[in-house]
Amino acid sequence: MYDYIIVGGGIIGASTAWQLKKKLPDKRILLVEKESEYALHQTGHNSGVIHAGVYYAPGSLKADFCVRGAVATKQFCTQHEIPFEECGKLIVATNSLEVTRLDALYQRCQQNGIDVERLDEVQLKLAEPNIRGLAAIRVQQTAIVDYKRVTQAMVAEFISLGGEARLGIEVIGISELDDEVQLTCVSDEQTLQINCQYLITCAGLMADRITKMLGIATDFQIIPYRGEYFRLASRHNGIVNHLIYPVPDPQLPFLGVHLTRMVDGSVTVGPNAVQGWKREGYGRFNFSLKDTLQMLRFAGFWKVTWANLSTGIKEWLNSLWKPGYLKLVNKYCPEIRLDDLESYPAGIRAQAVTKDGQLVHDFLFSESARSLNVCNAPSPAATSAIPIGEYICSEALQKFADD
Ligand SMILES: Cc1cc2nc3c(=O)[nH]c(=O)nc-3n(C[C@H](O)[C@H](O)[C@H](O)COP(=O)(O)OP(=O)(O)OC[C@H]3O[C@@H](n4cnc5c(N)ncnc54)[C@H](O)[C@@H]3O)c2cc1C
């Protein structure tokens, strides 16, 4: 019998397992992951940005986690010799409405304690000769990293402290009893049962299915939104010095394709946000009947789709029609041509949507007597993974202390 089992070997599960073992060295703790590698889903399919925390409401959990997470991630990378680059980010305004929104973001950065510099058109041209805009803000702390490597290093730390980690084990059923939790799992087509005192789940795209297995009444469902990228032809590896972001629409802050320098030296364009029809299907035309039917039966899906219909259609058309996608980038980087856009793997966001059709923008947790469950960990959760793990550990220690 384990004291704790943590389900999910993405960055949130890995961070939680490592920090819990550090706090409870004498407890038997197991991390289980259904895939044959760690970080194969959201954590391994993202933009690789260590965000500084520009967009989040001052005083919110998201702002606090992000600002502290960025510092902690860089420290962790330095300690573990994981390369990262503090290349900085420019948010570029291309019209007068965006300049107004840019100024609001500038204020927000100051409220969140982020070091930020405002650039006029001439200064922008000097900083980024290939970028066109009226004004920009420069956030120098923004950095890039490979989150798969960060996750692997967290799992290695967990194991070196005496934790147990097992790949290729999928949890397919959970029974919560008065004095233990029983997990039914499959591994290599064999069914096995693993028991623990307490359960922590960090299952990303499967978070709602795990809470359902626990019989917890919730009013959300995970809706998969694809984030599609292109990689620029290698002759453009030096096209920008910073990461380049458009000014977001405050109503839909996660939209807006950006130019991201990656740690391997390449530059990607993306991501967009289009409806996914398979939670863990990365190919453009991947489809799962089970995932789709579950979505279609959920009232929140119809409400959120209806409320964002015109944006959704635009994103979908630009996904199918490359020149439309190109136009989004050409707005601030006219250099790029159609044949510069090479294929690159997509990512899939695990977005919690409530029954009344609201996109959950913040972290969401659910619990039962013997479990704590991460139900929504949207971007910048990779940046924030260390404080999120710390938070989950302190919640778990408080909740389960008197048992
Ligand atoms: C396109 C895109 C771009 C992004 N860009 C950034 C960025 O630049 N910076 C940033 O900070 N954040 C970014 N994010 C957000 C960030 O990647 C995620 O918030 C973060 O990776 C979430 O981590 P996780 O561990 O919760 O989920 P995941 O990485 O999805 O991990 C969940 C794990 O649980 C496992 N699992 C699920 N069910 C079971 C089961 N039944 N049994 C066993 N294992 C199970 C899965 O196999 C998976 O490995 C981006 C996300 C996307 C999709």
Side-chain angles (χ1 to χ4, degrees), residues 8 11-12 33-34 41-43 46-47 49 171 229 377 379 381 383:
I11 197 165
I12 303 295
E33 164 55 49
K34 67 179 163 60
H41 292 294
Q42 294 179 93
T43 304
N46 63 30
S47 305
V49 179
V171 177
Y229 295 89
S379 186
T383 305

Side-chain angles (χ1 to χ4, degrees), residues 25 27 39-40 86 96 107 126 129 145 156 171 189 219 234 265 272 285 289 313 316 318 349 367 374 379 399:
K27 298 287 184 193
L40 217 59
E86 213 166 72
S96 58
Q107 305 271 320
L126 277 175
V145 74
V171 177
E189 295 176 19
D219 82 331
S234 59
N272 60 1
F285 300 109
L289 189 62
I313 291 173
W316 179 68
N318 288 337
R349 302 175 184 85
E367 57 183 41
V374 180
S379 186
K399 183 176 163 58

Side-chain angles (χ1 to χ4, degrees), residues 174 207-216 218 220-221 294:
I174 308 175
D208 53 344
R209 292 189 181 156
I210 292 278
T211 50
K212 216 167 252 167
M213 287 180 205
L214 278 156
I216 300 172
T218 54
F220 77 95
Q221 190 170 301
Q294 193 178 346

Side-chain angles (χ1 to χ4, degrees), residues 109-246:
C109 285
Q110 290 182 318
Q111 288 164 335
N112 283 339
I114 298 163
D115 200 11
V116 67
E117 187 188 350
R118 197 181 185 292
L119 308 183
D120 62 23
E121 198 171 345
V122 177
Q123 291 165 319
L124 169 61
K125 199 87 217 150
L126 277 175
E128 287 291 356
N130 294 316
I131 297 298
R132 190 174 60 191
L134 298 177
I137 55 179
R138 172 160 39 203
V139 186
Q140 198 51 51
Q141 296 107 301
T142 304
I144 48 173
V145 74
D146 177 352
Y147 282 114
K148 211 172 194 175
R149 283 194 66 180
V150 176
T151 307
Q152 287 161 348
M154 287 173 173
V155 176
E157 277 286 323
F158 169 64
I159 293 170
S160 75
L161 293 169
E164 292 175 51
R166 291 170 72 180
L167 289 165
I169 297 206
E170 179 171 8
V171 177
I172 55 162
I174 308 175
S175 304
E176 188 171 347
L177 309 178
D178 284 346
D179 54 352
E180 65 174 15
V181 185
Q182 298 175 340
L183 303 186
T184 306
C185 307
V186 278
S187 173
D188 284 335
E189 295 176 19
Q190 306 276 331
T191 305
L192 64 150
Q193 192 176 302
I194 318 177
N195 299 354
C196 59
Q197 289 283 315
Y198 307 112
L199 178 69
I200 298 176
T201 70
C202 312
L205 284 152
M206 301 297 164
D208 53 344
R209 292 189 181 156
I210 292 278
T211 50
K212 216 167 252 167
M213 287 180 205
L214 278 156
I216 300 172
T218 54
D219 82 331
F220 77 95
Q221 190 170 301
I222 295 293
I223 303 292
Y225 291 108
R226 293 169 58 76
E228 296 166 332
Y229 295 89
F230 289 101
R231 181 177 23 222
L232 293 188
S234 59
R235 65 176 176 279
H236 283 313
N237 282 0
I239 195 167
V240 284
N241 304 311
H242 303 77
L243 311 180
I244 308 294
Y245 280 62

Side-chain angles (χ1 to χ4, degrees), residues 224-228 255 272-277 284 311-320 347-349:
Y225 291 108
R226 293 169 58 76
E228 296 166 332
L255 288 187
N272 60 1
V274 289
Q275 185 62 61
W277 302 101
R284 174 166 294 171
T311 310
I313 291 173
K314 264 187 236 155
E315 290 286 302
W316 179 68
L317 289 174
N318 288 337
S319 155
L320 292 177
I348 303 180
R349 302 175 184 85

